[in-house]
Amino acid sequence: GENVEQHPSTLSVQEGDSAVIKCTYSDSASNYFPWYKQELGKRPQLIIDIRSNVGEKKDQRIAVTLNKTAKHFSLHITETQPEDSAVYFCAVYSGGGADGLTFGKGTHLIIQP
Amino acid sequence: EPEVTQTPSHQVTQMGQEVILRCVPISNHLYFYWYRQILGQKVEFLVSFYNNEISEKSEIFDDQFSVERPDGSNFTLKIRSTKLEDSAMYFCASSHDRGATEAFFGQGTRLTVV
């Protein structure tokens, strides 16, 4: 099955700086890559996603890049703010007969004031 | 904005008892999912449901689990004979399209088995 690795497990950045979280996946047939933000005790919220026919997608301060050849994708958050503090999960949809998402282990992003 | 809603928010049950977790997916969504998250760990896929039947299930979803869409709005997860290791947050999700694209999650049910 699909294997998703996410790094780092914890990331601490100064407010206003950028944060980058990386994920790698194993199944080259994977074609959908969402990122979820989860605040403590709350539901995972979809913040951005990218499909395999696109290399980069941006939404205000958030961007995702995908390198299909290397099988990795990254979340970029610029001008970080205190409310960006949360756990971020990458996920992968492998297609074929699989309907569920395979999640990474999460990155705890801490924004230092 | 439409939301996936789950009830109850917290369920405490004794080991060996049966529990039913309830979900109301977004109304025009066609694909429904259950995931679980053990405290401090990643979200894990349990099962997907489409057209009134299971379309995929993970290794976690063994014979003690079942899902049902008893009416046009609810989607339930039943756990028979709960075990201590079933303690987790259970999330329901729904999407309009296949492949969990743009899947929206409910707020979760925290299940505690004692």
Side-chain angles (χ1 to χ4, degrees):
Chain A
E2 178 69 89
N3 184 37
V4 178
E5 298 286 339
Q6 183 172 347
H7 299 280
S9 55
T10 304
L11 178 60
S12 182
V13 301
Q14 288 292 125
E15 184 178 348
D17 288 351
S18 295
V20 181
I21 303 169
K22 298 180 181 179
C23 284
T24 60
Y25 59 98
S26 58
D27 189 347
S28 57
S30 297
N31 57 23
Y32 175 67
F33 310 89
W35 284 91
Y36 284 84
K37 175 183 179 183
Q38 187 178 32
E39 296 174 29
L40 190 62
K42 297 193 175 178
R43 74 185 79 195
Q45 285 193 298
L46 178 67
I47 56 171
I48 196 166
D49 57 11
I50 193 167
R51 298 176 193 272
S52 58
N53 58 349
V54 176
E56 183 174 357
K57 185 176 177 181
K58 203 169 182 180
D59 183 4
Q60 299 182 343
R61 297 187 296 110
I62 295 172
V64 55
T65 57
L66 172 65
N67 183 328
K68 281 179 59 179
T69 305
K71 289 188 280 187
H72 69 71
F73 59 111
S74 300
L75 177 71
H76 305 253
I77 305 174
T78 58
E79 300 172 21
T80 51
Q81 300 168 3
E83 54 264 37
D84 294 331
S85 293
V87 179
Y88 291 80
F89 291 95
C90 64
V92 175
Y93 170 66
S94 301
D99 283 336
L101 294 169
T102 302
F103 282 80
K105 289 188 176 179
T107 295
H108 187 193
L109 177 63
I110 301 165
I111 307 301
Q112 304 276 9
Chain B
E1 185 176 320
E3 282 188 341
V4 176
T5 56
Q6 290 183 243
T7 54
S9 57
H10 191 188
Q11 174 91 45
V12 181
T13 189
Q14 289 207 323
M15 194 168 53
Q17 294 296 305
E18 175 183 287
V19 294
I20 297 176
L21 310 183
R22 291 182 166 79
C23 169
V24 179
I26 294 174
S27 61
N28 66 340
H29 284 186
L30 304 174
Y31 297 85
F32 314 119
Y33 314 88
W34 283 101
Y35 290 82
R36 81 170 184 192
Q37 185 178 33
I38 295 171
L39 187 64
Q41 298 186 24
K42 67 177 178 179
V43 178
E44 299 174 290
F45 169 73
L46 293 178
V47 66
S48 59
F49 192 87
Y50 169 72
N51 200 25
N52 284 321
E53 61 182 22
I54 290 174
S55 50
E56 190 203 0
K57 56 185 180 180
S58 72
E59 293 172 351
I60 304 168
F61 194 89
D62 60 22
D63 291 344
Q64 69 165 145
F65 292 94
S66 62
V67 290
E68 195 176 39
R69 189 157 163 80
D71 54 44
S73 60
N74 290 286
F75 179 50
T76 63
L77 174 69
K78 182 190 289 186
I79 310 174
R80 285 181 284 275
S81 190
T82 49
K83 303 185 283 248
L84 294 176
E85 53 265 38
D86 293 328
S87 295
M89 182 74 93
Y90 287 81
F91 290 104
C92 173
S94 69
S95 65
H96 184 270
D97 298 319
R98 189 165 182 260
T101 54
E102 296 186 20
F104 291 89
F105 282 71
Q107 78 278 24
T109 293
R110 179 165 297 285
L111 177 65
T112 304
V113 182
V114 297

